[in-house]
Amino acid sequence: MIKVAIAGARGKMGQEAVHTVIKNDKMMLVAALDYKNANTTLADTGLFPTDYTVPVYTDLAELNEATAPDVLIDLTSPEVVYTHTKQALTLGIRPVVGTTGFTDEQLAELTTLAQQQKRGCIIAPNFAVGAILMMKFAKEAARFFPDVEIIEMHHDQKLDAPSGTGLKTAQMIQEVRTAKEQGHPNEKETYAGARGANFDGMHIHSVRLPGLVAHQQVLFGGDGQLLTIRHDSFNRGSFMSGVAYCVEEVMTQQTLIYGLENLI
């Protein structure tokens, strides 16, 4: 039985993760990490059934001492996720992280720490299996279509732009694509930002609107043709099979893995 703690349990993704872990017969939810609601239970928050008596802590070290989780699922925010992940590894807890916003320097530091601790750590910009396949297909297509733009679309409460999935897609394409600037060499933005973020000559466009969940399309242009690879998550349940998979898989790892595509 894998003992699991969840950071960000009151969020929409966190609530889904709570139900997923509790219903999984290979896992046991032992605690929640929150920035408030110390000395209460998940049931006390009013967001869960009355029998969800899992304790809530505001301090990860205290949580670890009291409940000794094997895995910390972090679904919080970019402002705190690095601190949580680093502290979890230091305490010997294996992080499974769905929050994005890490810098390259932070990822490098966490990779070194995971190797020193011989503890697995999985950071997944997207837990949806379909989204992972979209990224893999996009990388393959980029071998033949070097002119590409990414349009990622999310709900209007998302804090980071571009999304972790959009950035990860661009990084995967970069591995097989010869760097070049796309568009007319004398192209000029009449309004700054009109062409989106420039990543290695590719452009990433971020859309934020109410009603959206998580959507992305990768457009490849060629002579007389357009190839579009698209994935849509219509609800947060689409991410939960990936979360459960990562909780089991992180127990077998001894280093940091960035991106679920490295496991599928």
Side-chain angles (χ1 to χ4, degrees), residues 10 24 33 54 91 109 142 145-146 153 170 193 202 224 234 254 257:
R10 290 185 294 109
N24 192 304
L33 181 66
V54 174
L91 292 169
E109 182 182 357
F145 292 88
M153 300 164 282
M202 295 176 276
F234 298 110
Q254 294 188 353
I257 296 171

Side-chain angles (χ1 to χ4, degrees), residues 6-19:
I6 296 178
R10 290 185 294 109
K12 292 180 180 178
M13 274 284 286
Q15 291 179 48
E16 288 281 354
V18 166
H19 296 305

Side-chain angles (χ1 to χ4, degrees), residues 153-241:
M153 300 164 282
H154 287 78
H155 55 89
D156 61 347
Q157 298 303 301
K158 186 169 179 59
L159 297 177
D160 55 326
S163 68
T165 301
L167 183 58
K168 181 63 175 176
T169 303
Q171 291 169 339
M172 291 174 65
I173 290 173
Q174 183 186 37
E175 295 173 13
V176 300
R177 173 183 175 272
T178 300
K180 70 167 189 171
E181 292 295 327
Q182 296 177 181
H184 195 283
N186 296 325
E187 178 182 86
K188 180 181 178 181
E189 289 183 327
T190 305
Y191 288 93
R195 293 287 288 119
N198 186 316
F199 182 94
D200 203 35
M202 295 176 276
H203 292 270
I204 308 175
H205 309 269
S206 297
V207 177
R208 299 290 179 265
L209 288 171
L212 297 175
V213 178
H215 318 262
Q216 180 170 294
Q217 53 184 330
V218 189
L219 283 68
F220 296 91
D223 291 338
Q225 59 183 316
L226 176 71
L227 171 63
T228 302
I229 301 174
R230 176 170 178 140
H231 177 263
D232 297 275
S233 284
F234 298 110
N235 59 60
R236 289 167 180 83
S238 65
F239 306 119
M240 291 304 112
S241 60

